Each structure stands twice: as C-alpha cells, then as structure tokens.
C-alpha cells in the first residue's frame, strides 16, 4: 500500500479519518493544518527520543518532529503549501486585507498584556491569608485601577490604536466588566478559595453580602476552576482578552466589518497556537470560548449588583467607572484618551 493512497480513507500520518488529499498526501484536517503551520512558520522541531515515535490519532501531538517527518514520508510537499498561499493572495477572502499577521500575533497580544499586568509583588500562599478583606469601596477602587490598566493595554494593540477615538471608546465600554472579571480570575488562579483584587485586598466565598457572595462563588466555580482545569497559559489568556475586545456588535461602532476581521484573526492565531502545543489539544479551543459565555452572564450580574448599590445604598461611583461599566455618558473616557 502506498502511504499516500487515498482509497483506504485514513490519514497516512496518524490513521484518523482522512478528509482528502492535502499537499500531496491523504490526510486528516489535523495533520493538514499541522503541516501547513510547520511549513509556513518554518518550525524546527526536536525529538526527545530516538526519532521514531509512534504517530497515531491519540499520540500525534506528542512529538512534532516525528509527526512532521511522517508528513514528508507520506508525500506532503512544502511547495504545495507555498503555492496555496500564492493562490489565496490572488483570490482574496473577505479577511485577506487584514492579514497583517504580526499586528495581532499571539506574541504581540502576550506582550501587551505582560506590559500592563498588575505589578503586584509575588505573594506566597501563606501571605494571602493575612490580607485585608475587601469592602465595597475597595472593590470600586480596584475596578478603577483595572479600567485604567485596560485602557493602557488596549493602546498597545496596534490595530486598536489606529482607530478613531469613538470606536475605541465603543469597544472598550462594551465589555469592560468582562475584561475586569477575567483579569481578576487570572490573578486569583493560584489561590485557594480567594479572589485577590488589584489593590491587594481579598474576597472569600463568604466575606461579602449574600448577593455578592453568589457572584464570588460563580467567579471561583465558573471561571477560575475551568481555567485551572485546562491550565490556561498567559498567551491564551491574552488572546481571550483581545477576542472580548474586538466585538463587532459593540454599540455605536462605525467599523464593525473591520472589527469582525480583527477578531477572526485573533481566533485563528489562538487556534494555531493551541494546535501547536506539544500534547493533545483537541477540545481546548472550545473550552476557552465557552468561558466567554460564563463571563458574560457573571458580568451582567455584577452590573446589576452595582446598580442596586447605587440605588439602594447610595453608592457613589467614580465617573470613569460609571462611564465604562455602567454605560453612562462618555465625556470622561474621551478625556482619558486625549490626555
Ligand atoms: Zn492525521
Ligand atoms: Zn519523536
């Protein structure tokens, strides 16, 4: 049997179900994508063993060196990938004009996040138990700090920075609360049953009022736990923040088509990043996107809670928070941008 024979219907590399002949060999979409990324990015892999690892459907992500070798053995050709790229650039998909890859690469997003990440000194788990419990004032203060950081962060993303102020404001306001919550969850990932705010105060499952405790528990159970389960890394986290930011349905947006293609680009880069992981990554991308749904409903609950506090407990909210989180006027945010 020739390795690239398409008639057995199996991938010549990993024996998964083949979806056709790709780059010269009958293969599955996983191996097709792996080969394409490897060639396009000129990856050089190492084998940790003796260059004869077994490549099958379950183990195909374990050794990239041996998988790529098997792709070549099965008949895949580098040139076919390069030709495909030339053809696409002539045909132009709706997204092609946005294919300035590096502007939204995983590395760019990672750097933007790392540069503005809370510069809290590394705290050991024993220290966290001695931190002050946050009251409502601390929560508002910490949210304000995070909003300022979020603005600084977004400015480090080149395509965002090139937009008109109105579009920037529209994007940031649409999901500011989600951005804050996801950052809080990430910051708290290493602590047990404790949320660490950016102003160095903490929240436990029962340290606040009833309704707020429900929110705390949701953050722990529906955000932090799944993030821990998949061991989300910093690059993946940075991409998720960008996917949240580039929402084409944000209110008052004048460039929604462009935002859609920016988001698409981040998604594709994240997908590639995940697929290039050393170990099996199937399902991982989906898990991450599912987090966004929890995030959205929790954010909604937080906003309701803040509104209730303003109405019934006379909570005075900082202008910036009012405009960013509760969608008041946006005079103040414009001032922040032009300063
Ligand atoms: Zn395969
Ligand atoms: Zn190997």
């Amino acid at each position: 049997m020739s390795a690239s024979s398409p008639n057995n219907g199996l991938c010549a590399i990993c024996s998964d179900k083949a979806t056709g002949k790709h780059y010269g060999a009958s293969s599955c979409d996983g191996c097709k994508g792996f080969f394409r990324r490897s060639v396009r990015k000129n990856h050089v892999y190492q084998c940790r063993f003796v260059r004869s690892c077994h490549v099958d459907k379950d183990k195909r992500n374990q050794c990239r060196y041996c998988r790529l070798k098997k792709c070549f053995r099965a008949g895949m050709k580098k040139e076919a990938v390069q030709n495909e790229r030339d053809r696409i650039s002539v045909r132009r998909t709706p997204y092609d004009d946005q294919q300035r890859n590096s502007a939204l690469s995983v590395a760019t997003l990672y750097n933007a996040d790392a540069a503005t990440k809370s510069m809290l000194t590394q705290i050991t788990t024993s220290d966290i138990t001695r931190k002050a419990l946050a009251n409502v004032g601390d929560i508002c203060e910490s949210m304000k700090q995070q909003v300022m950081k979020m603005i600084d962060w977004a400015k480090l993303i080149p395509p965002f920075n090139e937009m008109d102020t109105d579009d920037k404001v529209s994007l940031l306001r649409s999901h500011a609360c989600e951005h804050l919550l996801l950052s809080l969850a990430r910051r708290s990932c290493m602590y047990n049953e404790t949320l660490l705010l950016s102003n160095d105060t903490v929240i436990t499952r029962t340290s606040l009022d009833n309704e707020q405790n429900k929110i705390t528990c949701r953050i722990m159970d529906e955000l932090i736990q799944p993030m821990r389960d998949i061991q989300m890394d910093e690059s993946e986290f940075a991409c998720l923040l960008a996917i949240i930011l580039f929402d084409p349905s944000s209110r008052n947006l004048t460039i929604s088509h462009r935002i859609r293609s920016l988001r698409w680009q981040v998604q594709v880069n994240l997908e590639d990043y995940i697929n290039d992981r050393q170990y099996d990554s199937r399902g991982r991308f989906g898990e991450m996107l599912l987090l966004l749904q929890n995030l959205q409903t929790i954010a909604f609950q937080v906003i309701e809670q803040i509104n209730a506090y303003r109405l019934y407990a006379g909570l005075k909210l900082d202008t910036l928070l009012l405009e960013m989180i509760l969608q008041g006027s946006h005079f103040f945010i414009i001032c922040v941008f032009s300063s």
Side-chain angles (χ1 to χ4, degrees):
M1 180 190 79
S2 139
S4 60
S5 149
N7 50 26
N8 57 7
L10 296 182
C11 174
I13 295 103
C14 73
S15 308
D16 196 354
K17 199 171 165 351
T19 56
K21 199 161 182 175
H22 305 296
Y23 310 125
S26 160
S27 74
C28 68
D29 283 338
C31 292
K32 170 193 170 190
F34 168 77
F35 185 74
R36 184 187 58 231
R37 291 189 298 280
S38 301
V39 170
R40 284 201 185 158
K41 293 181 183 163
N42 265 320
H43 281 312
V44 179
Y45 304 126
Q46 307 286 339
C47 177
R48 289 177 300 167
F49 303 101
V50 292
R51 302 186 172 186
S52 60
C53 299
H54 184 65
V55 181
D56 66 15
K57 186 178 171 225
D58 295 319
K59 297 203 190 78
R60 66 188 176 202
N61 289 305
Q62 288 186 5
C63 181
R64 288 176 285 186
Y65 177 91
C66 293
R67 188 181 188 184
L68 185 60
K69 191 179 77 175
K70 212 168 165 192
C71 287
F72 283 119
R73 287 249 169 105
M76 287 193 172
K77 297 271 186 293
K78 268 187 176 179
E79 297 72 32
V81 175
Q82 281 140 6
N83 291 343
E84 173 190 65
R85 175 166 261 185
D86 295 342
R87 275 208 318 277
I88 287 175
S89 59
V90 173
R91 203 175 56 212
R92 292 176 77 86
T93 70
Y95 300 114
D96 269 355
D97 54 335
Q98 312 302 344
Q99 298 254 344
R100 288 171 299 162
N101 239 317
S102 66
L104 283 173
S105 69
V106 174
T108 304
L109 296 173
Y110 171 87
N111 289 334
D113 178 52
T116 46
K117 192 156 61 178
S118 165
M119 284 307 166
L120 285 173
T121 44
Q122 281 301 312
I123 318 139
T124 63
T125 320
S126 60
D127 285 334
I128 191 114
T129 57
R130 284 190 237 128
K131 293 193 182 301
L133 291 177
N135 57 33
V136 174
D138 291 320
I139 297 173
C140 291
E141 175 57 32
S142 145
M143 285 175 94
K144 189 183 167 189
Q145 287 176 2
Q146 291 298 299
V147 166
M148 298 300 287
K149 281 217 175 77
M150 172 180 73
I151 296 172
D152 288 342
W153 160 79
K155 286 178 179 170
L156 293 174
I157 300 174
F160 176 88
N161 213 24
E162 290 157 13
M163 292 173 195
D164 291 339
T165 301
D166 282 343
D167 287 320
K168 286 181 183 166
V169 169
S170 164
L171 285 181
L172 282 174
R173 291 172 77 195
S174 293
H175 300 285
C177 194
E178 275 121 297
H179 181 104
L180 268 53
L181 281 168
L182 194 61
S183 303
L184 170 66
R186 192 260 305 257
R187 196 181 318 115
S188 308
C189 254
M190 62 171 108
Y191 306 113
N192 193 24
E193 304 280 289
T194 308
L195 303 181
L196 175 63
L197 302 188
S198 65
N199 64 346
D200 215 20
T201 55
V202 295
I203 299 175
T204 67
R205 273 190 197 266
T206 53
S207 68
L208 298 167
D209 287 347
N210 202 15
E211 282 306 306
Q212 297 160 10
N213 286 338
K214 281 186 198 157
I215 296 176
T216 306
C217 293
R218 287 197 67 190
I219 296 173
M220 290 178 181
D221 301 335
E222 297 174 36
L223 292 179
I224 296 180
Q225 195 52 50
M227 281 164 82
R228 273 195 200 128
D229 288 346
I230 58 169
Q231 300 182 349
M232 189 191 287
D233 72 24
E234 301 286 294
S235 299
E236 292 165 334
F237 174 83
C239 291
L240 266 197
L241 286 182
I243 289 173
I244 294 171
L245 176 71
F246 292 127
D247 177 2
S249 55
S250 301
R251 243 202 305 178
N252 302 327
L253 207 56
T254 60
I255 46 168
S256 124
H257 178 76
R258 170 151 167 77
I259 300 302
R260 188 178 299 282
S261 58
L262 291 175
R263 185 175 68 182
W264 184 82
Q265 192 62 61
V266 178
Q267 279 169 224
V268 168
N269 289 343
L270 173 59
E271 214 176 337
D272 280 355
Y273 176 83
I274 290 172
N275 286 334
D276 283 341
R277 282 165 57 94
Q278 186 81 16
Y279 295 100
D280 199 357
S281 52
R282 277 175 299 166
R284 189 174 175 84
F285 186 58
E287 281 295 314
M288 279 179 207
L289 294 188
L290 285 175
L291 274 177
L292 299 182
Q293 199 181 355
N294 296 349
L295 193 59
Q296 205 163 21
T297 60
I298 299 173
F300 185 69
Q301 216 175 336
V302 167
I303 292 168
E304 267 193 333
Q305 195 46 216
I306 296 177
N307 270 327
Y309 252 78
R310 289 173 64 219
L311 279 176
Y312 305 115
L315 174 71
K316 280 252 178 283
L317 217 54
D318 180 272
T319 321
L320 185 64
L321 276 188
L322 208 59
E323 294 180 5
M324 287 302 275
I325 309 282
L326 300 182
Q327 313 263 323
S329 76
H330 61 262
F331 171 73
F332 195 71
I333 318 172
I334 299 214
C335 294
V336 171
F337 268 112
S338 35
S339 66

